[in-house]
PDB file of all heavy atoms in Angstrom:
ATOM      1  N   VAL A 466      60.339 -19.135  39.479  1.00  0.00           N
ATOM      2  CA  VAL A 466      61.045 -19.618  40.676  1.00  0.00           C
ATOM      3  C   VAL A 466      61.047 -21.137  40.724  1.00  0.00           C
ATOM      4  O   VAL A 466      62.016 -21.780  41.096  1.00  0.00           O
ATOM      5  CB  VAL A 466      60.415 -19.032  41.937  1.00  0.00           C
ATOM      6  CG1 VAL A 466      61.017 -19.707  43.179  1.00  0.00           C
ATOM      7  CG2 VAL A 466      60.612 -17.530  42.042  1.00  0.00           C
ATOM      8  N   GLU A 467      59.874 -21.699  40.289  1.00  0.00           N
ATOM      9  CA  GLU A 467      59.739 -23.182  40.371  1.00  0.00           C
ATOM     10  C   GLU A 467      60.706 -23.906  39.426  1.00  0.00           C
ATOM     11  O   GLU A 467      60.936 -25.118  39.614  1.00  0.00           O
ATOM     12  CB  GLU A 467      58.300 -23.566  39.990  1.00  0.00           C
ATOM     13  CG  GLU A 467      57.181 -23.109  40.999  1.00  0.00           C
ATOM     14  CD  GLU A 467      56.710 -21.688  40.671  1.00  0.00           C
ATOM     15  OE1 GLU A 467      57.475 -20.925  39.992  1.00  0.00           O
ATOM     16  OE2 GLU A 467      55.615 -21.321  41.112  1.00  0.00           O
ATOM     17  N   ASP A 468      61.283 -23.183  38.468  1.00  0.00           N
ATOM     18  CA  ASP A 468      62.222 -23.837  37.499  1.00  0.00           C
ATOM     19  C   ASP A 468      63.694 -23.505  37.903  1.00  0.00           C
ATOM     20  O   ASP A 468      64.589 -23.580  37.014  1.00  0.00           O
ATOM     21  CB  ASP A 468      61.910 -23.344  36.086  1.00  0.00           C
ATOM     22  CG  ASP A 468      60.609 -23.867  35.597  1.00  0.00           C
ATOM     23  OD1 ASP A 468      60.198 -25.021  35.972  1.00  0.00           O
ATOM     24  OD2 ASP A 468      59.949 -23.167  34.786  1.00  0.00           O
ATOM     25  N   THR A 469      63.917 -23.148  39.144  1.00  0.00           N
ATOM     26  CA  THR A 469      65.281 -22.881  39.603  1.00  0.00           C
ATOM     27  C   THR A 469      65.576 -23.619  40.887  1.00  0.00           C
ATOM     28  O   THR A 469      64.653 -24.153  41.531  1.00  0.00           O
ATOM     29  CB  THR A 469      65.479 -21.373  39.839  1.00  0.00           C
ATOM     30  OG1 THR A 469      64.639 -20.955  40.978  1.00  0.00           O
ATOM     31  CG2 THR A 469      65.136 -20.568  38.623  1.00  0.00           C
ATOM     32  N   ARG A 470      66.838 -23.678  41.228  1.00  0.00           N
ATOM     33  CA  ARG A 470      67.256 -24.281  42.496  1.00  0.00           C
ATOM     34  C   ARG A 470      68.311 -23.364  43.176  1.00  0.00           C
ATOM     35  O   ARG A 470      69.140 -22.786  42.483  1.00  0.00           O
ATOM     36  CB  ARG A 470      67.909 -25.632  42.209  1.00  0.00           C
ATOM     37  CG  ARG A 470      68.377 -26.404  43.461  1.00  0.00           C
ATOM     38  CD  ARG A 470      69.127 -27.634  43.091  1.00  0.00           C
ATOM     39  NE  ARG A 470      68.266 -28.600  42.366  1.00  0.00           N
ATOM     40  CZ  ARG A 470      68.598 -29.211  41.252  1.00  0.00           C
ATOM     41  NH1 ARG A 470      69.802 -28.994  40.681  1.00  0.00           N
ATOM     42  NH2 ARG A 470      67.747 -30.053  40.655  1.00  0.00           N
ATOM     43  N   LEU A 471      68.216 -23.178  44.500  1.00  0.00           N
ATOM     44  CA  LEU A 471      69.167 -22.336  45.191  1.00  0.00           C
ATOM     45  C   LEU A 471      70.519 -23.025  45.209  1.00  0.00           C
ATOM     46  O   LEU A 471      70.656 -24.212  45.559  1.00  0.00           O
ATOM     47  CB  LEU A 471      68.703 -22.122  46.659  1.00  0.00           C
ATOM     48  CG  LEU A 471      69.594 -21.248  47.533  1.00  0.00           C
ATOM     49  CD1 LEU A 471      69.655 -19.812  46.975  1.00  0.00           C
ATOM     50  CD2 LEU A 471      69.092 -21.266  48.979  1.00  0.00           C
ATOM     51  N   HIS A 472      71.549 -22.295  44.817  1.00  0.00           N
ATOM     52  CA  HIS A 472      72.898 -22.854  44.714  1.00  0.00           C
ATOM     53  C   HIS A 472      73.800 -22.380  45.867  1.00  0.00           C
ATOM     54  O   HIS A 472      74.486 -23.186  46.499  1.00  0.00           O
ATOM     55  CB  HIS A 472      73.562 -22.490  43.347  1.00  0.00           C
ATOM     56  CG  HIS A 472      74.925 -23.092  43.163  1.00  0.00           C
ATOM     57  ND1 HIS A 472      75.114 -24.425  42.969  1.00  0.00           N
ATOM     58  CD2 HIS A 472      76.153 -22.539  43.281  1.00  0.00           C
ATOM     59  CE1 HIS A 472      76.419 -24.656  42.823  1.00  0.00           C
ATOM     60  NE2 HIS A 472      77.093 -23.531  43.051  1.00  0.00           N
ATOM     61  N   SER A 473      73.727 -21.105  46.217  1.00  0.00           N
ATOM     62  CA  SER A 473      74.533 -20.594  47.324  1.00  0.00           C
ATOM     63  C   SER A 473      73.889 -19.358  47.938  1.00  0.00           C
ATOM     64  O   SER A 473      72.999 -18.737  47.271  1.00  0.00           O
ATOM     65  CB  SER A 473      75.976 -20.232  46.873  1.00  0.00           C
ATOM     66  OG  SER A 473      75.933 -19.185  45.919  1.00  0.00           O
ATOM     67  N   THR A 474      74.270 -18.938  49.128  1.00  0.00           N
ATOM     68  CA  THR A 474      73.717 -17.763  49.820  1.00  0.00           C
ATOM     69  C   THR A 474      74.809 -16.872  50.290  1.00  0.00           C
ATOM     70  O   THR A 474      75.925 -17.273  50.475  1.00  0.00           O
ATOM     71  CB  THR A 474      72.803 -18.210  51.002  1.00  0.00           C
ATOM     72  OG1 THR A 474      73.645 -18.931  51.917  1.00  0.00           O
ATOM     73  CG2 THR A 474      71.676 -19.093  50.554  1.00  0.00           C
ATOM     74  N   GLN A 475      74.372 -15.605  50.471  1.00  0.00           N
ATOM     75  CA  GLN A 475      75.283 -14.657  51.131  1.00  0.00           C
ATOM     76  C   GLN A 475      75.113 -14.827  52.648  1.00  0.00           C
ATOM     77  O   GLN A 475      74.022 -15.055  53.134  1.00  0.00           O
ATOM     78  CB  GLN A 475      74.988 -13.251  50.699  1.00  0.00           C
ATOM     79  CG  GLN A 475      75.196 -12.998  49.196  1.00  0.00           C
ATOM     80  CD  GLN A 475      74.825 -11.571  48.772  1.00  0.00           C
ATOM     81  OE1 GLN A 475      74.919 -10.696  49.591  1.00  0.00           O
ATOM     82  NE2 GLN A 475      74.460 -11.421  47.534  1.00  0.00           N
ATOM     83  N   ARG A 476      76.223 -14.649  53.432  1.00  0.00           N
ATOM     84  CA  ARG A 476      76.168 -14.872  54.821  1.00  0.00           C
ATOM     85  C   ARG A 476      76.726 -13.650  55.620  1.00  0.00           C
ATOM     86  O   ARG A 476      77.567 -12.918  55.079  1.00  0.00           O
ATOM     87  CB  ARG A 476      76.983 -16.116  55.216  1.00  0.00           C
ATOM     88  CG  ARG A 476      76.358 -17.393  54.637  1.00  0.00           C
ATOM     89  CD  ARG A 476      77.083 -18.672  55.055  1.00  0.00           C
ATOM     90  NE  ARG A 476      76.438 -19.830  54.492  1.00  0.00           N
ATOM     91  CZ  ARG A 476      75.422 -20.492  55.105  1.00  0.00           C
ATOM     92  NH1 ARG A 476      75.010 -20.002  56.318  1.00  0.00           N
ATOM     93  NH2 ARG A 476      74.887 -21.520  54.554  1.00  0.00           N
ATOM     94  N   THR A 477      76.279 -13.564  56.792  1.00  0.00           N
ATOM     95  CA  THR A 477      76.793 -12.473  57.659  1.00  0.00           C
ATOM     96  C   THR A 477      78.111 -12.888  58.257  1.00  0.00           C
ATOM     97  O   THR A 477      78.547 -14.073  58.115  1.00  0.00           O
ATOM     98  CB  THR A 477      75.770 -12.219  58.849  1.00  0.00           C
ATOM     99  OG1 THR A 477      75.785 -13.435  59.671  1.00  0.00           O
ATOM    100  CG2 THR A 477      74.385 -11.976  58.359  1.00  0.00           C
ATOM    101  N   PRO A 478      78.857 -11.966  58.893  1.00  0.00           N
ATOM    102  CA  PRO A 478      80.096 -12.349  59.521  1.00  0.00           C
ATOM    103  C   PRO A 478      79.960 -13.460  60.520  1.00  0.00           C
ATOM    104  O   PRO A 478      80.932 -14.197  60.827  1.00  0.00           O
ATOM    105  CB  PRO A 478      80.596 -11.069  60.207  1.00  0.00           C
ATOM    106  CG  PRO A 478      79.992  -9.979  59.389  1.00  0.00           C
ATOM    107  CD  PRO A 478      78.644 -10.512  58.937  1.00  0.00           C
ATOM    108  N   LEU A 479      78.738 -13.674  61.073  1.00  0.00           N
ATOM    109  CA  LEU A 479      78.526 -14.755  61.994  1.00  0.00           C
ATOM    110  C   LEU A 479      78.156 -16.053  61.328  1.00  0.00           C
ATOM    111  O   LEU A 479      77.849 -17.075  61.981  1.00  0.00           O
ATOM    112  CB  LEU A 479      77.401 -14.373  63.023  1.00  0.00           C
ATOM    113  CG  LEU A 479      77.715 -13.161  63.893  1.00  0.00           C
ATOM    114  CD1 LEU A 479      76.553 -12.850  64.791  1.00  0.00           C
ATOM    115  CD2 LEU A 479      78.964 -13.445  64.742  1.00  0.00           C
ATOM    116  N   GLY A 480      78.074 -15.992  59.973  1.00  0.00           N
ATOM    117  CA  GLY A 480      77.801 -17.203  59.216  1.00  0.00           C
ATOM    118  C   GLY A 480      76.333 -17.486  58.965  1.00  0.00           C
ATOM    119  O   GLY A 480      76.002 -18.572  58.493  1.00  0.00           O
ATOM    120  N   GLU A 481      75.471 -16.520  59.217  1.00  0.00           N
ATOM    121  CA  GLU A 481      74.055 -16.742  59.010  1.00  0.00           C
ATOM    122  C   GLU A 481      73.656 -16.321  57.582  1.00  0.00           C
ATOM    123  O   GLU A 481      74.085 -15.260  57.097  1.00  0.00           O
ATOM    124  CB  GLU A 481      73.216 -15.876  59.996  1.00  0.00           C
ATOM    125  CG  GLU A 481      73.452 -16.280  61.476  1.00  0.00           C
ATOM    126  CD  GLU A 481      72.665 -15.414  62.413  1.00  0.00           C
ATOM    127  OE1 GLU A 481      72.165 -14.335  61.961  1.00  0.00           O
ATOM    128  OE2 GLU A 481      72.595 -15.696  63.617  1.00  0.00           O
ATOM    129  N   ALA A 482      72.937 -17.199  56.923  1.00  0.00           N
ATOM    130  CA  ALA A 482      72.509 -16.920  55.526  1.00  0.00           C
ATOM    131  C   ALA A 482      71.416 -15.829  55.582  1.00  0.00           C
ATOM    132  O   ALA A 482      70.519 -15.809  56.403  1.00  0.00           O
ATOM    133  CB  ALA A 482      71.916 -18.170  54.886  1.00  0.00           C
ATOM    134  N   PHE A 483      71.546 -14.816  54.672  1.00  0.00           N
ATOM    135  CA  PHE A 483      70.563 -13.720  54.687  1.00  0.00           C
ATOM    136  C   PHE A 483      70.113 -13.353  53.292  1.00  0.00           C
ATOM    137  O   PHE A 483      69.169 -12.575  53.126  1.00  0.00           O
ATOM    138  CB  PHE A 483      71.146 -12.478  55.398  1.00  0.00           C
ATOM    139  CG  PHE A 483      72.233 -11.753  54.606  1.00  0.00           C
ATOM    140  CD1 PHE A 483      71.878 -10.637  53.789  1.00  0.00           C
ATOM    141  CD2 PHE A 483      73.536 -12.125  54.643  1.00  0.00           C
ATOM    142  CE1 PHE A 483      72.851  -9.993  53.022  1.00  0.00           C
ATOM    143  CE2 PHE A 483      74.503 -11.434  53.961  1.00  0.00           C
ATOM    144  CZ  PHE A 483      74.161 -10.392  53.137  1.00  0.00           C
ATOM    145  N   GLU A 484      70.753 -13.865  52.241  1.00  0.00           N
ATOM    146  CA  GLU A 484      70.295 -13.464  50.928  1.00  0.00           C
ATOM    147  C   GLU A 484      70.777 -14.476  49.838  1.00  0.00           C
ATOM    148  O   GLU A 484      71.807 -15.179  50.079  1.00  0.00           O
ATOM    149  CB  GLU A 484      70.900 -12.087  50.553  1.00  0.00           C
ATOM    150  CG  GLU A 484      70.656 -11.597  49.181  1.00  0.00           C
ATOM    151  CD  GLU A 484      69.235 -11.339  48.838  1.00  0.00           C
ATOM    152  OE1 GLU A 484      68.534 -12.358  48.577  1.00  0.00           O
ATOM    153  OE2 GLU A 484      68.736 -10.159  48.865  1.00  0.00           O
ATOM    154  N   GLU A 485      70.014 -14.621  48.755  1.00  0.00           N
ATOM    155  CA  GLU A 485      70.425 -15.471  47.661  1.00  0.00           C
ATOM    156  C   GLU A 485      71.716 -14.892  47.087  1.00  0.00           C
ATOM    157  O   GLU A 485      71.862 -13.671  46.924  1.00  0.00           O
ATOM    158  CB  GLU A 485      69.354 -15.528  46.570  1.00  0.00           C
ATOM    159  CG  GLU A 485      68.039 -16.126  46.960  1.00  0.00           C
ATOM    160  CD  GLU A 485      67.007 -16.031  45.804  1.00  0.00           C
ATOM    161  OE1 GLU A 485      67.061 -15.023  45.065  1.00  0.00           O
ATOM    162  OE2 GLU A 485      66.177 -16.915  45.712  1.00  0.00           O
ATOM    163  N   ASP A 486      72.611 -15.812  46.748  1.00  0.00           N
ATOM    164  CA  ASP A 486      73.841 -15.368  46.071  1.00  0.00           C
ATOM    165  C   ASP A 486      73.868 -15.895  44.654  1.00  0.00           C
ATOM    166  O   ASP A 486      74.013 -15.141  43.672  1.00  0.00           O
ATOM    167  CB  ASP A 486      75.082 -15.870  46.828  1.00  0.00           C
ATOM    168  CG  ASP A 486      76.353 -15.327  46.234  1.00  0.00           C
ATOM    169  OD1 ASP A 486      76.351 -14.164  45.749  1.00  0.00           O
ATOM    170  OD2 ASP A 486      77.383 -16.064  46.214  1.00  0.00           O
ATOM    171  N   GLU A 487      73.616 -17.203  44.507  1.00  0.00           N
ATOM    172  CA  GLU A 487      73.602 -17.877  43.190  1.00  0.00           C
ATOM    173  C   GLU A 487      72.444 -18.856  43.133  1.00  0.00           C
ATOM    174  O   GLU A 487      72.059 -19.431  44.154  1.00  0.00           O
ATOM    175  CB  GLU A 487      74.875 -18.615  42.895  1.00  0.00           C
ATOM    176  CG  GLU A 487      76.108 -17.708  42.810  1.00  0.00           C
ATOM    177  CD  GLU A 487      77.400 -18.504  42.602  1.00  0.00           C
ATOM    178  OE1 GLU A 487      77.555 -19.500  43.366  1.00  0.00           O
ATOM    179  OE2 GLU A 487      78.183 -18.165  41.757  1.00  0.00           O
ATOM    180  N   ILE A 488      71.826 -18.962  41.924  1.00  0.00           N
ATOM    181  CA  ILE A 488      70.831 -19.974  41.668  1.00  0.00           C
ATOM    182  C   ILE A 488      71.241 -20.792  40.425  1.00  0.00           C
ATOM    183  O   ILE A 488      72.055 -20.365  39.647  1.00  0.00           O
ATOM    184  CB  ILE A 488      69.426 -19.335  41.429  1.00  0.00           C
ATOM    185  CG1 ILE A 488      69.474 -18.510  40.141  1.00  0.00           C
ATOM    186  CG2 ILE A 488      68.948 -18.560  42.626  1.00  0.00           C
ATOM    187  CD1 ILE A 488      68.144 -18.240  39.533  1.00  0.00           C
TER     188      ILE A 488
END
Side-chain angles (χ1 to χ4, degrees):
V466 171
E467 294 88 338
D468 291 326
T469 66
R470 180 186 298 132
L471 180 64
H472 182 73
S473 64
T474 60
Q475 298 180 26
R476 295 181 177 275
T477 67
L479 298 177
E481 296 177 350
F483 72 94
E484 176 62 283
E485 294 176 329
D486 186 35
E487 295 175 314
I488 62 160

